[in-house]
Amino acid sequence: MPRFVKMATLDEIPAGSTKEVEFEGRIYAIYNTDGVISAIDGICPHQGGPLAEGMVEGTTVTCPWHGWQFDVRSGKTPLGPKIKQAVYEIKIEDQDVLVSVP
Ligand code: FES
């Protein structure tokens, strides 16, 4: 059973913005791309860069450290299928953004 944890409210992440949340030692990057809320593991698998601080264009975030890119909704990267960033399910309840945590 996934556990959903409130990590933001909708007014904290208007369209085009990102929020980084630490919960139980894990970093989550929560994005609002065109009104769609998504969450991925906030730590870049290359060398640990902060993906919540990356520039977002469309649904693609670019890691601020060395430029690896990830789709913030699917976790996929143009680098190939061997690398995939964890994606966490989202639930919206009233104004609350809940993220499914492992
Ligand atoms: S740490 Fe993200 S691209 Fe290097």
Side-chain angles (χ1 to χ4, degrees), residues 13-96:
I13 37 173
S17 70
T18 305
K19 182 179 181 188
E20 181 180 84
V21 174
E22 181 176 357
F23 179 77
E24 292 182 345
R26 196 179 294 260
I27 305 290
Y28 298 82
I30 305 170
Y31 301 89
N32 181 337
T33 47
D34 291 329
V36 177
I37 309 293
S38 61
I40 62 173
D41 185 332
I43 299 297
C44 180
H46 178 221
Q47 290 183 1
L51 292 179
E53 294 175 22
M55 192 192 316
V56 180
E57 288 174 284
T59 61
T60 301
V61 62
T62 301
C63 179
W65 285 8
H66 317 96
W68 283 23
Q69 294 185 315
F70 300 90
D71 186 287
V72 302
R73 296 183 189 173
S74 70
K76 291 182 179 171
T77 169
L79 296 167
K82 286 190 179 161
I83 304 170
K84 186 174 179 296
Q85 197 68 345
V87 176
Y88 302 104
E89 193 180 343
I90 297 288
K91 263 192 206 172
I92 307 294
E93 284 184 0
D94 298 323
Q95 289 298 301
D96 295 341

